[in-house]
Amino acid sequence: MSDAALNQEKEQLLEDVRQVLSSTEDLLGAAGDEGGEKGRELRKRLGENIKLAKARLLEAEKLVVGKAKVAAKATDDYVHENPWKSIGIAAGVGFLLGMLVSRR
């Protein structure tokens, strides 16, 4: 799956979670005002929305973890294929960070 497709899927999951949470907030406000049978129905729908939000968040988490694993694997492969280049890059970044920190 390409980076663009992963980003699009991530954005869609986040939008779904935002919608579910917004709907849940509306239901919560309405449930507080209602008693009896209608209040029980609103609370039931509220519970369903919370379960849905949790499921969407788990999907988003899996997506992020999967992308992180792919990035870690690519980095690991690069370092194994180019050890001296990787050491040089790390030393250069360390040197630049050291200069930045010492100026403050």
Side-chain angles (χ1 to χ4, degrees), residues 12-58:
Q12 182 60 47
L13 282 171
L14 291 174
E15 181 58 32
D16 289 348
V17 170
R18 284 186 205 108
Q19 288 177 356
V20 169
L21 292 176
S22 176
S23 175
T24 301
E25 287 174 342
D26 294 343
L27 285 171
L28 184 58
D33 297 338
E34 295 291 331
E37 184 61 35
K38 192 169 184 180
R40 282 191 289 278
E41 177 62 29
L42 286 172
R43 284 187 284 280
K44 178 183 172 194
R45 289 179 50 205
L46 178 64
E48 291 169 357
N49 276 356
I50 290 172
K51 286 179 185 177
L52 181 60
K54 285 180 182 179
R56 296 287 186 181
L57 286 173
L58 285 174

Side-chain angles (χ1 to χ4, degrees), residues 72-100:
K73 176 70 174 145
T75 302
D76 186 53
D77 290 345
Y78 180 82
V79 169
H80 280 91
E81 292 170 7
N82 304 292
W84 291 108
K85 195 177 209 180
S86 300
I87 290 170
I89 291 170
V93 169
F95 177 74
L96 290 174
L97 287 174
M99 284 181 51
L100 289 173

Side-chain angles (χ1 to χ4, degrees), residues 60-70:
E61 179 184 10
K62 287 178 185 177
L63 179 67
V64 170
V65 167
K67 192 171 181 179
K69 285 181 181 181
V70 168

